[in-house]
């Protein structure tokens, strides 16, 4: 019988955790490469932790579609490392996305992972990504946690540049307070890296992997309080400078120059907030490093949180508003209706007085004469026109008609478009694992709108930031002239591009195709600016709609090609 932690179930009802930042077998749970994971231990990545050296068995050999406890359906493997694997899955009972860590029951760290997960679940602090379940079932041990599709890793935020002072202040304030609360309950993180910190769309920072990430990797520390405090200092240093505060590059950040030592952030980059720079140095005051003004170092998250609270609050930057257009005065406001003009007398232009109308007898006689001449001219013209028409009718002359020369190419009627038969269809996922539901590609051209081809599920509309897109390649049998491609989608608005090639085989990468048209909607007509000659057509999906299962999927029910 499965051993289940009842305290870990229903701790939180949000969805999501680790974003899909890399393919399976090439990333860690924190979204960093395996090589980075290895080098991080030597460059304080594990924050003074110690790795277990015991031999570990291979990670469980499971596949997409496998169900755990008849409830959690595995969707996509995002990590396979050091005897465990991490998956994006779907809780079919509550119809929401979740994350799952999997390892075998005979793994030397299985017991510690279960204990860490259950302890983390009991904390119940919303500032941490919640553990929802911790289970030993047969020969498997797995931990189920939230999946947050609307949150962004700190790694991704720093890829765009250093944080503003207010954002960095919020980061260190919220993270230090959360870790202080965790340590009061006897829990440490020990792997607090940029990949373990998420910022939600509301600006709230959340920490994932509390105790569990370290247990999965066998990381321990003699001074867990100091280890987590220095990790928060490293996060603040990276947020202010976009540099990792050690000599080794890590998490997509460049390290400090060698033999230079640990220098304050305001000496690394101009414009860094002085108070935050000193705070980072106080948290990193270790191995000979000291604060820039010799304050006492912060050795626990609680001390760091108090130091942040003692600082003057850093306000967000004032929003920038565009200057309104210059006010245009109306004609009414420029006039003198009921009030004197506001313009100075010197600027008043002279008013041109029109000549008086003709009021004399001579003027009246002249007006009547002109009117009589106009009437006479109109009558004469009408009489001449009527006489011409009558004469033509009496003589029997046919009414002249405009003729066209049927031999001219310019006057030929446009040839109507004709449907083009699609010989075959193939899924196209060169930027992913190479396969995207190949068994249902025939449904896009079978003429049945109730059948469809669907993509894999992703945690965001942009394919979880894993790749640019996926699609279907249509084979027309030979090079044909293509004038229009109509694509029908199910499930919601989908963004799509039409790409073509006239080669005898289609390219291995999407860049080898030529973009001909693009559009968005549920029924999209992709019409190139001018007809193109092509044998292979790539219908390339670039943005997916949200499906009922909480994932983002593209569904094509029908594609019609005309010349």
């Amino acid at each position: 019988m499965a051993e289940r932690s009842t305290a870990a179930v229903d701790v939180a009802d949000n969805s999501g955790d680790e974003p899909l930042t890399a393919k399976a077998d090439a990333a860690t749970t924190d979204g960093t490469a395996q090589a980075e994971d290895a080098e991080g231990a030597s460059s304080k990545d594990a924050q003074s932790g110690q790795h277990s050296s015991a031999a570990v068995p291979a990670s469980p050999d499971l596949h997409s579609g496998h169900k755990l406890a008849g409830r959690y359906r595995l969707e996509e493997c995002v990590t396979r490392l050091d005897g465990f694997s991490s998956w994006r899955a779907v809780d079919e009972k509550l119809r929401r996305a979740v994350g799952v860590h999997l390892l075998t029951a005979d793994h030397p760290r299985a017991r510690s992972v279960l204990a860490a997960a259950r302890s983390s679940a009991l904390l119940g602090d919303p500032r941490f990504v919640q553990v929802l379940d911790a289970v030993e079932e047969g020969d498997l041990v797995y931990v189920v946690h939230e999946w947050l599709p609307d949150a962004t890793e700190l790694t991704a935020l720093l890829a765009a540049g250093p944080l503003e002072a207010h954002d960095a202040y919020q980061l260190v304030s919220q993270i230090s307070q959360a870790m202080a609360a965790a340590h009061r309950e006897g829990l440490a993180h020990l792997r607090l890296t940029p990949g373990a910190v998420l910022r939600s769309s509301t600006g709230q920072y959340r920490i994932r992997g509390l105790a569990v990430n370290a247990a999965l990797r066998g990381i321990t520390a003699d001074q867990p309080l100091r280890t987590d405090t220095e990790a928060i200092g490293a996060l603040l240093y990276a947020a202010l400078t976009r540099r990792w505060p050690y000599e080794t590059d890590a998490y997509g950040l460049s390290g400090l120059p060698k033999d230079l030592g640990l220098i304050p952030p305001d000496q690394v980059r101009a414009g860094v907030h002085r108070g935050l720079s000193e705070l980072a140095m106080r948290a990193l005051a270790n191995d000979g490093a000291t604060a820039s003004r010799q304050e006492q170092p912060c050795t626990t998250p609680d001390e760091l949180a108090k130091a942040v609270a003692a600082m003057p609050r850093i306000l967000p930057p004032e929003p920038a508003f565009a200057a309104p257009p210059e006010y245009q005065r109306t004609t009414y406001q420029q006039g003198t209706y009921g009030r004197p003009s506001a313009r100075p007398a010197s600027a008043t232009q002279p008013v041109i007085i029109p000549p008086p109308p003709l009021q004399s007898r001579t003027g009246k006689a002249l007006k009547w004469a002109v009117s009589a001449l106009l009437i006479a001219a109109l009558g004469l013209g009408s009489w001449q026109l009527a006489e011409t028409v009558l004469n033509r009718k009496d003589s029997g002359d046919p009414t002249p008609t405009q003729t066209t020369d049927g031999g001219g190419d310019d006057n030929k009627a446009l040839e109507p478009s004709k449907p083009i038969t699609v010989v075959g269809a193939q899924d196209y996922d060169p930027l992913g694992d190479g396969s995207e539901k190949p068994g249902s590609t025939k449904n896009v051209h079978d003429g049945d709108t109730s059948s469809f081809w669907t993509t894999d599920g992703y945690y965001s509309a942009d394919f979880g930031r894993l790749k640019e897109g996926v699609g279907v390649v249509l084979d027309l049998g030979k090079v044909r002239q293509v004038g229009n491609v109509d694509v029908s989608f199910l499930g919601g608005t989908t963004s799509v591009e039409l790409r073509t090639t006239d080669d005898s085989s289609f390219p291995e990468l999407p860049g080898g195709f030529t973009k001909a048209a693009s559009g968005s909607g549920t029924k999209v007509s992709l019409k190139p600016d001018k007809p193109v000659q092509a044998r292979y057509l790539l219908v390339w999906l670039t943005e997916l709609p949200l499906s009922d299962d909480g994932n983002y999927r593209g569904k094509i029910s029908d594609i019609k090609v005309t010349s």
Side-chain angles (χ1 to χ4, degrees):
M1 182 179 295
E3 177 186 351
R4 186 175 299 272
S5 170
T6 57
V9 180
D10 298 328
V11 175
D13 59 359
N14 295 333
S15 62
D17 183 4
E18 301 164 347
L20 308 180
T21 55
K23 290 187 291 185
D25 299 322
T28 71
T29 319
D30 299 320
T32 56
Q34 293 183 28
E36 261 183 27
D37 189 74
E39 84 177 13
S42 62
S43 63
K44 295 186 180 290
D45 173 45
Q47 317 302 344
S48 302
Q50 300 173 354
H51 289 265
S52 171
S53 59
V56 295
S59 59
D61 185 16
L62 300 179
H63 55 83
S64 298
H66 182 88
K67 285 187 182 180
L68 300 171
R71 172 177 180 177
Y72 304 111
R73 186 181 74 248
L74 302 181
E75 288 286 315
E76 186 172 2
C77 182
V78 296
T79 301
R80 196 181 300 276
L81 176 72
D82 202 16
F84 71 89
S85 60
S86 297
W87 293 75
R88 177 179 56 82
V90 174
D91 183 349
E92 294 187 337
K93 183 176 180 180
L94 298 180
R95 296 180 60 82
R96 63 177 177 180
V98 294
V100 178
H101 297 307
L102 273 169
L103 64 166
T104 57
D106 60 350
H107 194 290
R109 296 195 288 272
R111 301 290 99 195
S112 60
V113 169
L114 279 175
R118 291 165 180 172
S119 299
S120 177
L122 291 174
L123 180 62
D125 192 320
R127 292 170 292 190
F128 295 90
V129 173
Q130 298 295 296
V131 171
L132 305 177
D133 214 347
V135 182
E136 181 178 3
E137 185 174 5
D139 58 350
L140 287 178
V141 167
Y142 56 90
V143 175
V144 182
H145 54 81
E146 286 184 285
W147 191 277
L148 306 180
D150 65 336
T152 306
E153 276 188 13
L154 181 60
T155 307
L157 296 175
L158 295 181
L163 300 187
E164 296 288 342
H166 174 71
D167 292 334
Y169 172 81
Q170 291 295 326
L171 168 71
V172 68
S173 177
Q174 295 181 30
I175 298 301
S176 60
Q177 291 177 21
M179 287 309 305
H183 278 282
R184 283 193 290 270
E185 299 298 326
L187 292 172
H189 197 291
L190 304 185
R191 190 172 167 76
L192 198 54
T193 66
V197 176
L198 308 173
R199 187 173 73 180
S200 68
S201 57
T202 61
Q204 174 71 37
Y205 287 94
R206 299 187 69 180
I207 303 171
R208 63 183 173 191
L210 178 65
V212 176
N213 279 4
L216 285 168
R217 292 167 173 78
I219 298 174
T220 59
D222 296 332
Q223 297 180 322
L225 286 168
R226 187 68 194 91
T227 298
D228 283 343
T229 305
E230 189 171 359
I232 300 173
L235 294 176
L236 177 58
Y237 196 105
L240 295 173
T241 64
R242 202 187 174 195
R243 300 287 292 266
W244 193 237
Y246 307 104
E247 292 184 354
T248 306
D249 299 348
Y251 313 110
L253 302 172
S254 301
L256 297 178
K258 297 185 182 299
D259 304 324
L260 189 60
L262 183 60
I263 57 177
D266 55 3
Q267 295 182 22
V268 176
R269 189 177 72 89
V272 172
H273 188 277
R274 180 69 181 275
L276 292 176
S277 175
E278 294 172 354
L279 195 65
M281 295 300 289
R282 292 178 65 184
L284 286 169
N286 196 17
D287 297 336
T290 57
S292 58
R293 292 200 305 184
Q294 305 302 319
E295 292 95 340
Q296 289 296 320
C298 299
T299 58
T300 67
D302 189 55
E303 291 179 0
L304 183 58
K306 291 178 180 177
V308 175
M311 288 178 55
R313 185 180 178 185
I314 301 176
L315 299 177
E318 292 291 336
F321 295 102
E326 184 179 355
Y327 182 68
Q328 300 292 330
R329 296 176 65 85
T330 64
T331 304
Y332 168 78
Q333 292 170 323
Q334 291 174 352
T336 58
Y337 183 80
R339 63 185 178 190
S341 175
R343 297 183 181 181
S346 59
T348 304
Q349 297 186 5
V351 179
I352 301 175
I353 301 175
L358 297 175
Q359 298 294 342
S360 62
R361 283 185 184 179
T362 305
K364 291 182 179 180
L366 183 59
K367 283 197 286 187
W368 281 109
V370 171
S371 299
L373 287 174
L374 288 174
I375 294 172
L378 288 173
L380 180 61
S382 301
W383 174 75
Q384 289 180 341
L385 179 60
E387 185 180 17
T388 301
V389 172
L390 290 174
N391 290 339
R392 181 175 296 165
K393 186 179 295 185
D394 293 340
S395 62
D397 292 341
T399 303
T401 59
Q402 184 178 3
T403 61
T404 59
D405 185 4
D409 292 338
D410 294 339
N411 294 320
K412 284 185 177 179
L414 293 176
E415 185 175 336
S417 61
K418 299 179 180 178
I420 298 176
T421 302
V422 177
V423 176
Q426 179 177 336
D427 63 306
Y428 191 67
D429 184 25
L431 306 180
D433 57 7
S435 176
E436 196 80 10
K437 298 291 189 291
S440 59
T441 54
K442 63 181 183 297
N443 295 335
V444 304
H445 63 94
D446 61 356
D448 182 4
T449 56
S450 63
S451 63
F452 58 87
W453 168 80
T454 180
T455 68
D456 290 331
Y458 297 90
Y459 89 101
S460 65
D462 57 353
F463 303 90
R465 299 191 299 275
L466 286 175
K467 48 194 172 185
E468 298 175 2
V470 297
V472 176
V473 175
L474 306 178
D475 184 4
L476 305 183
K478 63 180 180 179
V479 176
R480 308 287 296 270
Q481 177 172 299
V482 178
N484 195 67
V485 176
D486 294 316
V487 186
S488 298
F489 294 100
L490 299 176
T493 299
T494 307
S495 296
V496 62
E497 295 179 358
L498 173 64
R499 302 189 180 189
T500 65
T501 179
D502 58 358
D503 295 338
S504 57
S505 61
F506 58 84
E508 295 182 357
L509 295 175
F513 288 88
T514 301
K515 181 178 177 181
S518 63
S520 179
T522 56
K523 294 185 180 296
V524 183
S525 180
L526 300 171
K527 184 177 182 62
D529 294 336
K530 57 182 179 180
V532 297
Q533 299 286 334
R535 173 180 176 177
Y536 294 101
L537 305 178
L538 171 59
V539 178
W540 184 243
L541 278 59
T542 58
E543 189 170 345
L544 307 179
L546 181 63
S547 61
D548 294 338
D549 62 1
N551 298 314
Y552 290 81
R553 299 177 185 274
K555 296 181 181 179
I556 300 179
S557 63
D558 189 49
I559 301 178
K560 287 184 170 56
V561 184
T562 55
S563 60

